[in-house]
Amino acid sequence: LHTAIGSIGDRVISADGYLIARTELDSMKAAIGKRIDAFHSREPLSAGLRLETLRKTALLGIPDPLIRIAIEELIKEKTISVDGDLVRLAERKHQLKPEESKAKDHFANVFAAARLEPPKIGDVLSGINTLVPAKARQVFQILLDEGSIKKVSEDFYFSASALIELQERLKVFAGDSADRTIDVAKFKELSGVSRKYAIPLLEYFDREKITVRSGDKRIIL
């Protein structure tokens, strides 16, 4: 956020050429908090409300500089937290029911145990018969939001720790290599996985700028 903020007395705030009364700004902040709180009530498992959605609902028609100053004040007051394009009430945690908490632990254990050979995500989600599919997906999304599980392809998700360990092995391999390149066959040998996993993993590392494709090989960056 980069808003030039000033004040004119105690009652008027200026922001990038816009003026707003302190009472109006406080009303805007209250509306933001109310909208986010309502969102959490509707979507207790969601990581947060998208800022763009907030702008189009509670803040429709309000200039961006004024929205930014309201957001900045709420952050400083520790009323809200912003993570990327998501905003949530500060200290808000996922409100899990017992069956949801159990499902979350199950998902985490499945991927931790599978390491570099995870089952397809559809099979994992369908294996939870205590939750409807949409709710199971929401619970799984919590693990993605927390960063403990990473999406590698549409079908395959991996434990973040397993990916970090594999990345370290790649770095060691690169250090011992004359040209820092690796082909699919050598990657399969290094990772101990079949082509089914090797190709999605290599494409993931390409996207993450850990490797870059060069012909039929990858250069380890």
Side-chain angles (χ1 to χ4, degrees), residues 84-138:
D85 67 339
L86 295 178
V87 58
R88 62 178 175 82
L89 294 180
E91 306 304 324
R92 175 77 184 194
K93 296 181 179 179
H94 299 293
Q95 305 296 311
L96 296 179
K97 298 176 182 178
E99 63 270 22
E100 294 166 346
S101 182
K102 185 176 180 180
K104 181 188 174 188
D105 290 342
H106 171 74
F107 293 147
N109 291 336
V110 165
F111 287 94
R115 307 304 292 166
L116 295 176
E117 297 180 300
K120 289 185 177 181
I121 184 58
D123 294 336
V124 177
L125 294 177
S126 64
I128 297 293
N129 56 21
T130 56
L131 300 176
V132 297
K135 188 64 70 175
R137 171 65 72 170
Q138 281 186 308

Side-chain angles (χ1 to χ4, degrees), residues 21 27 54 126 160 163 165 171 184 187 204:
S27 293
L54 183 64
S126 64
L163 293 176
E165 289 176 11
K171 288 181 179 179
V184 174
F187 182 81
Y204 169 80

Side-chain angles (χ1 to χ4, degrees), residues 57-69:
T57 53
L59 304 172
L60 185 62
I62 297 175
D64 280 346
L66 299 183
I67 294 175
R68 286 196 294 270
I69 188 176

Side-chain angles (χ1 to χ4, degrees), residues 48-204:
L49 176 64
R50 294 193 178 279
L51 283 168
E52 188 59 29
T53 301
L54 183 64
R55 285 190 177 96
K56 291 179 178 179
T57 53
L59 304 172
L60 185 62
I62 297 175
D64 280 346
L66 299 183
I67 294 175
R68 286 196 294 270
I69 188 176
I71 295 292
E72 286 176 355
E73 287 198 1
L74 287 167
I75 292 173
K76 289 178 181 178
E77 294 164 0
K78 301 187 183 303
T79 300
I80 66 171
S81 294
V82 177
D83 182 12
D85 67 339
L86 295 178
V87 58
R88 62 178 175 82
L89 294 180
E91 306 304 324
R92 175 77 184 194
K93 296 181 179 179
H94 299 293
Q95 305 296 311
L96 296 179
K97 298 176 182 178
E99 63 270 22
E100 294 166 346
S101 182
K102 185 176 180 180
K104 181 188 174 188
D105 290 342
H106 171 74
F107 293 147
N109 291 336
V110 165
F111 287 94
R115 307 304 292 166
L116 295 176
E117 297 180 300
K120 289 185 177 181
I121 184 58
D123 294 336
V124 177
L125 294 177
S126 64
I128 297 293
N129 56 21
T130 56
L131 300 176
V132 297
K135 188 64 70 175
R137 171 65 72 170
Q138 281 186 308
V139 172
F140 181 72
Q141 183 64 43
I142 295 173
L143 294 169
L144 295 177
D145 294 339
E146 293 175 349
S148 58
I149 293 179
K150 299 289 185 179
K151 179 180 179 179
V152 167
S153 71
E154 290 301 320
D155 283 331
F156 294 118
Y157 292 71
F158 289 72
S159 160
S161 62
L163 293 176
I164 291 171
E165 289 176 11
L166 180 54
Q167 183 179 344
E168 290 302 314
R169 275 187 263 167
L170 280 173
K171 288 181 179 179
V172 172
F173 177 87
D176 295 335
S177 172
D179 58 4
R180 301 185 67 86
T181 64
I182 190 169
D183 59 18
V184 174
K186 182 59 69 173
F187 182 81
K188 287 167 58 181
E189 180 182 337
L190 179 71
S191 60
V193 301
S194 66
R195 187 178 181 87
K196 176 175 73 171
Y197 296 109
I199 297 305
L201 282 167
L202 282 168
E203 291 175 348
Y204 169 80

